[in-house]
Amino acid sequence: MKNWKDLMAEWETLSLRDKRRVAGGCAAATVTILYLFIWSPITHKIDTLQIEIEQNKKLLTWMQSADTKIQFLEKQLKPASASSSKSLLSLIQSEISQTTFAKNLTGLQQTDKNAVQFNLKNVVFDNVMTWLIQLWKQHGIQITQMSTTPTGESGIVTIEIALRN
Protein backbone atom coordinates (compact mmCIF):
# COMPACT_ATOMS: atom_id res chain seq x y z
CA MET A 1 0.00 0.00 0.00
CA LYS A 2 1.33 3.36 -0.94
CA ASN A 3 1.60 6.20 1.53
CA TRP A 4 0.66 9.81 0.91
CA LYS A 5 4.17 10.91 -0.07
CA ASP A 6 4.47 8.18 -2.70
CA LEU A 7 1.08 9.16 -4.18
CA MET A 8 2.10 12.84 -4.35
CA ALA A 9 5.38 11.93 -6.02
CA GLU A 10 3.54 9.82 -8.55
CA TRP A 11 1.09 12.68 -9.19
CA GLU A 12 3.94 15.03 -9.98
CA THR A 13 5.31 12.62 -12.58
CA LEU A 14 1.99 12.53 -14.52
CA SER A 15 1.56 14.61 -17.64
CA LEU A 16 -0.98 17.41 -17.69
CA ARG A 17 -3.29 15.32 -19.85
CA ASP A 18 -3.15 12.38 -17.35
CA LYS A 19 -3.72 14.75 -14.43
CA ARG A 20 -6.87 16.03 -16.15
CA ARG A 21 -8.09 12.48 -16.76
CA VAL A 22 -7.51 11.48 -13.11
CA ALA A 23 -9.20 14.69 -11.89
CA GLY A 24 -12.12 14.09 -14.26
CA GLY A 25 -12.45 10.47 -13.07
CA CYS A 26 -12.39 11.61 -9.43
CA ALA A 27 -15.06 14.22 -10.17
CA ALA A 28 -17.22 11.62 -11.96
CA ALA A 29 -16.77 9.15 -9.08
CA THR A 30 -17.69 11.87 -6.57
CA VAL A 31 -20.82 12.84 -8.51
CA THR A 32 -21.82 9.16 -8.84
CA ILE A 33 -21.31 8.50 -5.12
CA LEU A 34 -23.25 11.64 -4.17
CA TYR A 35 -26.10 10.63 -6.50
CA LEU A 36 -26.26 6.98 -5.37
CA PHE A 37 -25.88 7.50 -1.64
CA ILE A 38 -27.42 10.95 -1.03
CA TRP A 39 -29.58 12.35 -3.84
CA SER A 40 -31.35 9.15 -4.95
CA PRO A 41 -32.38 8.00 -1.43
CA ILE A 42 -33.65 11.50 -0.60
CA THR A 43 -35.77 11.76 -3.76
CA HIS A 44 -37.08 8.22 -3.25
CA LYS A 45 -38.09 9.09 0.32
CA ILE A 46 -39.78 12.29 -0.85
CA ASP A 47 -41.78 10.36 -3.47
CA THR A 48 -42.81 7.78 -0.87
CA LEU A 49 -43.89 10.48 1.57
CA GLN A 50 -45.91 12.29 -1.11
CA ILE A 51 -47.79 9.07 -1.88
CA GLU A 52 -48.37 8.52 1.84
CA ILE A 53 -49.67 12.10 2.20
CA GLU A 54 -52.17 11.55 -0.62
CA GLN A 55 -53.37 8.31 0.97
CA ASN A 56 -53.69 10.00 4.36
CA LYS A 57 -55.67 12.86 2.79
CA LYS A 58 -58.11 10.34 1.32
CA LEU A 59 -58.34 8.55 4.66
CA LEU A 60 -58.96 11.85 6.46
CA THR A 61 -61.73 12.76 4.03
CA TRP A 62 -63.37 9.37 4.56
CA MET A 63 -63.01 9.63 8.35
CA GLN A 64 -64.55 13.11 8.39
CA SER A 65 -67.48 11.87 6.34
CA ALA A 66 -67.91 8.85 8.62
CA ASP A 67 -67.72 11.12 11.68
CA THR A 68 -70.46 13.33 10.24
CA LYS A 69 -72.66 10.28 9.67
CA ILE A 70 -71.99 8.98 13.19
CA GLN A 71 -72.85 12.34 14.75
CA PHE A 72 -76.04 12.50 12.70
CA LEU A 73 -77.07 9.01 13.82
CA GLU A 74 -76.23 9.79 17.46
CA LYS A 75 -78.42 12.90 17.31
CA GLN A 76 -81.27 10.80 15.94
CA LEU A 77 -81.00 8.25 18.74
CA LYS A 78 -80.36 10.59 21.68
CA PRO A 79 -83.53 12.67 21.46
CA ALA A 80 -85.65 9.55 21.18
CA SER A 81 -84.20 7.96 24.29
CA ALA A 82 -83.75 11.21 26.22
CA SER A 83 -87.24 12.53 25.43
CA SER A 84 -88.92 9.79 27.38
CA SER A 85 -89.54 11.00 30.93
CA LYS A 86 -91.50 7.81 31.74
CA SER A 87 -89.88 4.93 33.52
CA LEU A 88 -88.91 2.03 31.32
CA LEU A 89 -91.56 -0.17 32.94
CA SER A 90 -94.42 2.23 32.17
CA LEU A 91 -93.08 2.81 28.66
CA ILE A 92 -93.05 -0.94 27.94
CA GLN A 93 -96.54 -1.34 29.43
CA SER A 94 -97.80 1.48 27.24
CA GLU A 95 -96.09 0.18 24.10
CA ILE A 96 -97.21 -3.43 24.61
CA SER A 97 -100.81 -2.35 25.20
CA GLN A 98 -100.85 -1.02 21.63
CA THR A 99 -99.84 -4.37 20.12
CA THR A 100 -101.87 -7.38 19.03
CA PHE A 101 -99.99 -9.59 21.49
CA ALA A 102 -100.80 -7.52 24.62
CA LYS A 103 -103.10 -10.30 25.85
CA ASN A 104 -100.17 -12.75 25.72
CA LEU A 105 -98.05 -10.76 28.18
CA THR A 106 -97.09 -12.43 31.45
CA GLY A 107 -94.66 -11.53 34.20
CA LEU A 108 -93.72 -7.92 33.35
CA GLN A 109 -91.33 -6.67 36.02
CA GLN A 110 -88.65 -4.04 36.50
CA THR A 111 -85.33 -5.69 37.33
CA ASP A 112 -83.26 -2.51 37.53
CA LYS A 113 -83.73 1.25 37.20
CA ASN A 114 -83.24 0.98 33.43
CA ALA A 115 -84.15 -2.67 32.83
CA VAL A 116 -87.32 -4.74 32.54
CA GLN A 117 -88.05 -8.38 31.96
CA PHE A 118 -91.24 -10.02 30.63
CA ASN A 119 -92.65 -13.09 28.93
CA LEU A 120 -94.91 -13.41 25.90
CA LYS A 121 -96.70 -16.73 25.40
CA ASN A 122 -97.91 -18.05 22.06
CA VAL A 123 -97.02 -15.00 19.96
CA VAL A 124 -96.05 -14.57 16.31
CA PHE A 125 -92.26 -14.29 16.31
CA ASP A 126 -92.08 -11.85 13.37
CA ASN A 127 -94.55 -9.45 15.02
CA VAL A 128 -92.54 -9.35 18.24
CA MET A 129 -89.29 -8.75 16.35
CA THR A 130 -90.87 -5.89 14.38
CA TRP A 131 -92.12 -4.35 17.65
CA LEU A 132 -88.68 -4.70 19.30
CA ILE A 133 -87.01 -3.00 16.33
CA GLN A 134 -89.47 -0.11 16.61
CA LEU A 135 -88.70 0.19 20.34
CA TRP A 136 -85.02 0.41 19.54
CA LYS A 137 -85.50 2.99 16.78
CA GLN A 138 -87.97 5.19 18.66
CA HIS A 139 -86.67 4.95 22.24
CA GLY A 140 -83.16 3.50 22.06
CA ILE A 141 -84.26 0.45 24.05
CA GLN A 142 -82.00 -2.56 23.56
CA ILE A 143 -82.46 -6.28 24.06
CA THR A 144 -80.03 -7.56 26.68
CA GLN A 145 -81.30 -11.12 26.77
CA MET A 146 -83.86 -13.13 24.84
CA SER A 147 -84.93 -16.74 24.88
CA THR A 148 -87.47 -18.29 22.51
CA THR A 149 -89.24 -21.61 22.74
CA PRO A 150 -91.21 -22.97 19.76
CA THR A 151 -94.79 -24.00 20.47
CA GLY A 152 -95.18 -26.49 17.64
CA GLU A 153 -97.12 -24.13 15.37
CA SER A 154 -95.18 -22.49 12.56
CA GLY A 155 -93.93 -19.04 13.61
CA ILE A 156 -95.56 -19.16 17.05
CA VAL A 157 -93.24 -19.01 20.06
CA THR A 158 -92.98 -18.27 23.76
CA ILE A 159 -90.43 -15.55 24.43
CA GLU A 160 -88.61 -14.36 27.53
CA ILE A 161 -87.11 -10.92 26.99
CA ALA A 162 -84.92 -8.54 29.01
CA LEU A 163 -84.69 -4.94 27.81
CA ARG A 164 -82.46 -2.03 28.86
CA ASN A 165 -82.78 1.67 28.21
Side-chain angles (χ1 to χ4, degrees):
M1 180 157 186
K2 296 182 180 184
N3 63 28
W4 183 251
K5 287 182 182 180
D6 292 340
L7 286 174
M8 288 304 290
E10 204 171 312
W11 175 259
E12 293 299 326
T13 62
L14 292 177
S15 68
L16 182 59
R17 190 174 100 174
D18 289 340
K19 285 181 182 180
R20 286 183 183 160
R21 285 183 182 170
V22 170
C26 287
T30 302
V31 168
T32 302
I33 288 171
L34 288 174
Y35 175 79
L36 290 175
F37 294 106
I38 296 175
W39 184 259
S40 181
I42 288 173
T43 57
H44 177 71
K45 185 66 174 178
I46 289 171
D47 292 343
T48 303
L49 290 174
Q50 285 176 337
I51 291 169
E52 191 175 322
I53 287 170
E54 289 303 316
Q55 290 171 341
N56 287 340
K57 282 181 182 179
K58 289 177 185 176
L59 179 62
L60 176 63
T61 302
W62 177 84
M63 289 174 77
Q64 287 171 334
S65 132
D67 182 52
T68 304
K69 288 177 187 176
I70 289 169
Q71 288 177 2
F72 174 75
L73 292 173
E74 283 177 344
K75 285 178 185 176
Q76 280 188 326
L77 286 177
K78 281 184 183 176
S81 61
S83 68
S84 175
S85 59
K86 297 183 188 179
S87 73
L88 183 60
L89 181 63
S90 62
L91 178 65
I92 297 299
Q93 284 174 328
S94 169
E95 292 289 329
I96 285 181
S97 69
Q98 299 172 20
T99 66
T100 57
F101 49 83
K103 64 185 181 300
N104 303 75
L105 174 67
T106 61
L108 177 61
Q109 63 183 4
Q110 189 157 353
T111 57
D112 190 346
K113 181 181 176 187
N114 294 322
V116 295
Q117 189 172 1
F118 59 93
N119 300 329
L120 296 168
K121 291 190 177 188
N122 300 322
V123 292
V124 177
F125 180 78
D126 291 344
N127 294 347
V128 176
M129 290 298 104
T130 302
W131 176 72
L132 288 169
I133 290 168
Q134 287 175 343
L135 274 180
W136 172 72
K137 285 181 179 178
Q138 293 174 355
H139 304 285
I141 297 171
Q142 299 176 349
I143 301 169
T144 56
Q145 189 174 6
M146 185 170 87
S147 171
T148 60
T149 307
T151 61
E153 290 183 57
S154 178
I156 307 296
V157 294
T158 297
I159 302 178
E160 295 176 23
I161 301 174
L163 301 175
R164 179 169 293 281
N165 194 359

